[in-house]
Amino acid sequence: MKVVGIALIVYHTNLALVFRHEHVNITIQWITVVSTSDYLAYTLSLASHIVKLRKVVEVVKTVDAQHIPILSALFTSLVCFSNPATKISDNSPSSGIVIRWNDCEQTIDGFGIAQAGWAKELFAFKNRKQVMDKMFGNDGLRLNILRGEIFPHYWENKEDKDFNLNDDINIELCDSDFNNKSDDLLRRGQLWLTLEAKNKYHINKLVFSTWSAPAWMKSNGKVSNGKLKPECYQDFANYLAAFYKAYKSKGITPYAISPSNEPGYAAPWNSSLWTADEMGKFITSNLGPTFQKENIPAKIIFGENPLWSVVMPQLKMVSSKDFTDTILQDYPEIKKFNLIAAGHGYSLSPDIMPIKVDKEYLKTPIIPFDAAEKAHIPVWITEISDVTPLDTSIQDGLKWAVTFHNYLTKANVNAIIWWGGAMPTSNNESLIILNKNRKDYTLSKRYDILGNYSRYISEGSTRIQVTQPKNKDLLVSAYKKNDKYILVAINLSEKTISTNIRLDGANIKGALKQFITNKDNRWNKTNIVPVSNKYYNLTIPQFSIVTLVGKVHL
């Protein structure tokens, strides 16, 4: 085995030696060379003091030919002859994960679930309080957002002004109440659920979306399909304002209200079609001014189409990014209102298309809502799940871990709301699967995985940048609040990953708390003591997600 060249490369705040062998390049990363004349004098702690660059920018030194024989011997002692593509990395403090304390991104508003059209089933569940604890309690997910529905059956005619908030919610319930459809029990169920979330768990982000306006306001006189009649725009704005006041009167003040859930999709259930132009006009001319006149501080959610973004132009009507971008561009005056730009995170399958379409055109990229970000409008994903057959395994959980990671680090979302908190289901819509015996329930691994985010990244935290070793199976994100920082690491491989963690811009303080979720564990806690008060060694088990919580000296 012959070494034909060696180069010294600048990687972020560190250096790397690249050995160019006859057939492949092999990198021994994060090794600092302290002099140009003695390439064997290695140091493991000075890299961050030698260079302070942010990008891979240049080759700074090429080894003289006279040193190649010496280094060739070193090289062959380090590399396995049978696997010349092996990448060897030392485990020094400068070789692992660097949390960049001062490189700040978005503020995190929180994590939550929607119960909406499934409030009745949870209301009729005998162990409903246990399930609520699993979602909102300190030993559960510690969620801080609950999404409900502004039902179209509140005002069933022009004279009806009742939101049914005086209905008895302490009634005896039976199996038929759990299994059969009932608008009455759905309203009672949402009232019970919202009061429980507010009064017992102090949830202050109660958000409500409208699937459809009351039928009498619609072009087709039905709660599914159709559009809001133009002459009813102000009636609908008054309806949403009245809903806010009614719920506030019960001590469950809405944090945000959405006039439309999935405005581009004519669903067979409660639904109503809106174009971006129609929604822009409604918010700027009716809803926004009505909220201002009535001194309603609730945020107005707009967007909420089924897909986050699309590649295929013909699908723009169901793209949340296109919907919100168009409104912000065509109605710039909308920015004076209190807004949240939102989208849903569903995907497309070729099976649902009426014609054969290359799957590349069906991609729904997880990308930023640039127009909303530029206007400093928070961006939430207000619904995400899938309807594939029920899978409670760690592999399904890790799929969602990657999805949450991408929405937080690529789309820069401020909040994530899962579609179904607790449902009787045979697919993957729900985090908690309710048994039809009304007593037993199952916690899925996607429930566990969401907890690795929601339990430790509290409302008001700020995402901060991370530098990590190149490894396609390792995904890392970091967050901070006051003197606390949180790092979430996902290992998608069948091998354990050993690395270390250090901070740039702050000094670590005390032990690091580690919470591991894998096929056998849910938030299993251990402590990691620092090495020389400078860094922590970290072992990430195969097929796992690990949350680490530490403190710094401010």
Side-chain angles (χ1 to χ4, degrees), residues 312 315 350 353-362:
M312 192 174 178
L315 296 172
M353 302 302 291
I355 60 173
K356 186 175 182 180
V357 179
D358 190 304
K359 62 182 179 181
E360 287 296 311
Y361 290 103
L362 299 181

Side-chain angles (χ1 to χ4, degrees), residues 58-102:
E58 60 179 330
V59 176
V60 295
K61 179 64 64 176
T62 300
V63 177
D64 296 337
Q66 62 181 333
H67 296 294
I68 288 180
I70 300 173
L71 290 167
S72 179
L74 171 67
F75 172 77
T76 54
S77 70
L78 291 172
V79 179
C80 175
F81 282 74
S82 63
N83 185 11
T86 299
K87 183 175 180 178
I88 299 176
S89 177
D90 79 311
N91 198 33
S92 73
S94 59
S95 70
I97 298 165
V98 181
I99 300 173
R100 289 151 45 190
W101 185 263
N102 296 316

Side-chain angles (χ1 to χ4, degrees), residues 148-191:
E149 182 175 352
I150 303 176
F151 300 118
H153 39 78
Y154 281 129
W155 290 5
E156 295 189 318
N157 55 65
K158 289 184 180 182
E159 288 70 41
D160 187 0
K161 305 297 181 184
D162 188 7
F163 286 97
N164 306 97
L165 298 185
N166 294 317
D167 290 351
D168 187 3
I169 57 174
N170 297 309
I171 57 176
E172 286 290 328
L173 297 163
C174 61
D175 289 350
S176 63
D177 296 326
F178 181 81
N179 295 315
N180 299 333
K181 180 177 174 60
S182 166
D183 290 341
D184 173 62
L185 287 178
L186 184 57
R187 291 190 296 265
R188 293 175 197 255
Q190 177 164 284
L191 179 59

Side-chain angles (χ1 to χ4, degrees), residues 485 499-501 508-514 526-539 548-550:
Y485 63 93
T499 185
N500 52 66
I501 303 171
I508 64 175
K509 178 183 178 181
L512 196 60
K513 296 177 183 177
Q514 177 178 243
T526 58
N527 289 334
I528 304 174
V529 297
V531 179
S532 304
N533 291 317
K534 293 181 179 179
Y535 66 96
Y536 303 93
N537 286 325
L538 173 63
T539 300
L548 301 120
V549 180

